[in-house]
Amino acid sequence: MRNKTVALLGAVALMGEPALAADPAAIDWSKIPAKSITLFYPGQSTYDWLLSPDHKKGDKQVAQGKACLSCHEGDEADIGNKLVKGGALEPTPITGKNGTLPLSVQAAHDKEFVYFRMQWKSQMNREGRMHDYVRFDGKEWKSYGSYRSHEKVRSGAEPPLYEDRVAIMLDDGKVERFAQQGCWLTCHNGMRDAPKMASKDAVKKHPFLGDAGMKKDEVLKYLAITRSDAEASWDKPKSAEEIAKLKAAGQFLDLMQWRTARSNPVGMADDGYVLEFRLFDAGANPFASNIDGKTKLPKYMFDAGKTGFKALRAEDIGNAAKPAAVVREENAAPFDPNAGWKEGDILPGRLISRADAKGSAADNDYAKGTWKDGAYTLLWRRKLDTGNPADDKIMKAGGVYTIGIAVHDDNVTTRYHFVSFPLSLGIGADANIKAVTLN
Ligand code: HEC
């Protein structure tokens, strides 16, 4: 009998790690303390603004590296509620938007993983799980719905359809000032939806960022150390060689995003980093375009044999009983242009696949969020050592790191999110957020 049991255990061990040990859903979260964090609306408080005289009595000390919290402890709700309504730091407010988002965070770890459980209320009474849709107008498939700050949504012409997200920025002490000033280090004038936003044309013509280089048409997050001038201007990057040296020295930030539309349908989060731009890790994401660049037609539709429908309709928005994502290995069929499409049929512009996610970009292999009665619960695990130090921060038990957390709630993008001041994360060590050691 005993031998049999041993043999059985051996067989289980051979099948890989015991399934439950690394399963965030198997943790007794009622025993893990919850930290309540007030995420707040930052508007256009870019790093440039923080260094300007408009940041009264804060500018000089920010330039010297002083911590935001040394002056702003307890200010989160005041700042968020004020900025969200409009004014110098928010020229185009979204009517009725909340100024803060209270987030509950629990954390635990074992030898291999750190685990998070996050809970928050969404402003809208449906999940923000539709993103980049296209609609058949009787002749062509055209972009449909968008983020709340988009003109066509503000005017009421099209519905707000943009994914909700949780982003975690992580550092191990190698990025100077991140522990004091957090995400603001990555936020500069010239970026999309920031003051003095660079035009598409200007970015495309830029030798480093544009058509001849990185092939970008907008500016996203970057670190000042990647720029050659004192103002850290978007268009003054250092050379590729200098930037590669910074990366090799670990002077980048890890940035992971759980995305309700683009990663949650396959239980994942993406994995990126911030250095000269916001970039994805090596490998492949769980999401790709579902639109053929030449024909402008979708590549995949829903497999009606599995879902009962080949496309959604506007009246399905918010119907949790129907899948909103086309997942290649689950419910996708190659798009058939002659399938009898009707005006108003809508399809996702993104193709989701767990099977296609590869390499360092696929490290966040368990990030599952559910939305119920107006609130999200998200379970997320991350390997302490992903084995990919080139674009990840490697953590270890006993270590203390710095994280910044952001939530994009209610179909928004860019600055219309809620953010935290930098927080310390202890892997079994005391910190703002302590990941409790599991036995
Ligand atoms: C030396 C103290 C000091 C430091 C350090 C500091 N600030 Fe400030 N900050 C201020 C003061 C003072 C104000 C003006 C407060 C007011 O008008 O009520 C302010 C205003 C702001 C506002 C606008 C709030 C409003 O009510 O309009 C934001 C946003 C802000 N700070 C963000 C930051 C961030 C982010 C950091 C860290 C990178 C930071 N501050 C660091 C002192 C500081």
Side-chain angles (χ1 to χ4, degrees):
M1 182 65 202
R2 190 174 170 273
N3 279 343
K4 237 181 172 172
T5 312
V6 170
L8 214 91
L9 284 174
V12 171
L14 275 176
M15 282 160 66
E17 53 196 279
L20 286 184
D23 180 358
I27 295 169
D28 182 357
W29 290 101
S30 70
K31 298 215 168 68
I32 313 281
K35 170 98 183 168
S36 172
I37 299 162
T38 303
L39 302 184
F40 62 98
Y41 189 81
Q44 289 189 325
S45 59
T46 57
Y47 206 69
D48 311 60
W49 181 83
L50 294 170
L51 294 173
S52 77
D54 293 335
H55 186 203
K56 292 187 189 81
K57 296 183 189 144
D59 55 340
K60 292 197 180 66
Q61 307 224 34
V62 167
Q64 288 158 16
K66 190 141 188 198
C68 312
L69 276 173
S70 67
C71 298
H72 286 300
E73 179 104 58
D75 282 353
E76 291 88 346
D78 284 351
I79 294 179
N81 290 330
K82 179 180 162 194
L83 299 194
V84 79
K85 292 203 176 69
L89 284 173
E90 183 44 87
T92 53
I94 293 171
T95 313
K97 186 163 182 62
N98 293 339
T100 64
L101 183 140
L103 179 74
S104 157
V105 182
Q106 293 165 281
H109 83 97
D110 54 23
K111 283 200 183 74
E112 196 174 7
F113 293 99
V114 58
Y115 306 90
F116 296 104
R117 184 195 201 217
M118 301 191 193
Q119 294 179 293
W120 69 101
K121 287 200 174 105
S122 62
Q123 183 161 357
M124 199 176 44
N125 199 28
R126 65 167 160 90
E127 212 179 342
R129 60 172 194 158
M130 292 171 78
H131 188 93
D132 266 1
Y133 270 61
V134 287
R135 177 184 181 276
F136 188 61
D137 68 0
K139 274 166 81 182
E140 289 172 79
W141 291 85
K142 288 188 179 148
S143 159
Y144 177 66
S146 193
Y147 40 84
R148 258 190 209 280
S149 57
H150 198 289
E151 241 168 80
K152 64 186 187 181
V153 178
R154 284 188 195 261
S155 71
E158 292 186 24
L161 293 181
Y162 211 78
E163 67 185 353
D164 290 346
R165 280 177 274 164
V166 173
I168 298 178
M169 232 186 238
L170 170 71
D171 185 46
D172 54 0
K174 294 208 176 97
V175 172
E176 207 184 334
R177 297 188 179 178
F178 188 74
Q180 290 77 35
Q181 302 183 337
C183 313
W184 281 268
L185 289 186
T186 69
C187 182
H188 305 274
N189 287 357
M191 282 174 23
R192 180 146 69 102
D193 283 345
K196 300 183 185 160
M197 175 174 156
S199 71
K200 270 195 176 167
D201 198 44
V203 181
K204 282 162 83 70
K205 282 189 182 135
H206 191 273
F208 187 94
L209 293 160
D211 294 342
M214 295 174 78
K215 302 195 171 17
K216 305 292 181 188
D217 63 3
E218 61 182 358
V219 179
L220 301 180
K221 295 181 176 61
Y222 60 87
L223 288 172
I225 46 164
T226 64
R227 296 305 193 262
S228 57
D229 63 336
E231 290 74 37
S233 312
W234 72 265
D235 58 348
K236 304 275 184 324
K238 289 183 179 168
S239 70
E241 295 74 43
E242 285 172 287
I243 291 167
K245 269 188 204 153
L246 293 170
K247 188 164 179 241
Q251 285 180 275
F252 60 86
L253 295 166
D254 214 322
L255 173 57
M256 308 161 247
Q257 294 198 67
W258 170 79
R259 301 164 176 273
T260 317
R262 286 184 276 178
S263 70
N264 195 49
V266 291
M268 296 181 73
D270 75 19
D271 195 1
Y273 67 99
V274 180
L275 184 57
E276 78 275 29
F277 205 81
R278 174 170 73 68
L279 295 160
F280 290 115
D281 287 3
N285 283 320
F287 53 89
S289 175
N290 188 35
I291 306 297
D292 186 298
K294 286 210 182 89
T295 63
K296 307 289 176 210
L297 293 174
K299 294 176 183 168
Y300 288 88
M301 56 188 187
F302 290 99
D303 181 342
K306 290 180 177 155
T307 57
F309 55 89
K310 57 184 189 294
L312 293 167
R313 308 275 307 172
E315 53 269 28
D316 296 322
I317 295 170
N319 180 356
K322 287 188 168 180
V326 172
V327 180
R328 192 177 61 72
E329 58 270 25
E330 272 174 28
N331 62 10
F335 179 78
D336 174 4
N338 303 313
W341 299 104
K342 291 193 195 67
E343 182 183 348
D345 285 338
I346 55 176
L347 280 172
R350 301 290 182 144
L351 178 67
I352 315 303
S353 170
R354 188 179 180 91
D356 292 348
K358 293 267 152 46
S360 186
D363 281 331
N364 290 298
D365 65 351
Y366 191 120
K368 296 183 188 174
T370 48
W371 184 94
K372 198 168 171 277
D373 301 332
Y376 280 103
T377 297
L378 170 61
L379 293 177
W380 189 337
R381 77 174 186 192
R382 161 85 168 188
K383 269 191 180 158
L384 294 172
D385 181 351
T386 60
N388 298 309
D391 44 28
D392 287 329
K393 294 287 163 162
I394 305 302
M395 294 178 274
K396 54 179 199 285
V400 179
Y401 305 89
T402 305
I403 60 170
I405 304 176
V407 172
H408 280 86
D409 178 56
D410 196 16
N411 305 267
V412 295
T413 189
T414 60
R415 72 172 188 261
Y416 298 94
H417 55 355
F418 300 107
V419 299
S420 75
F421 285 122
L423 300 157
S424 57
L425 168 70
I427 308 299
D430 282 340
N432 296 137
I433 298 171
K434 178 179 176 175
V436 175
T437 307
L438 299 173
N439 296 312

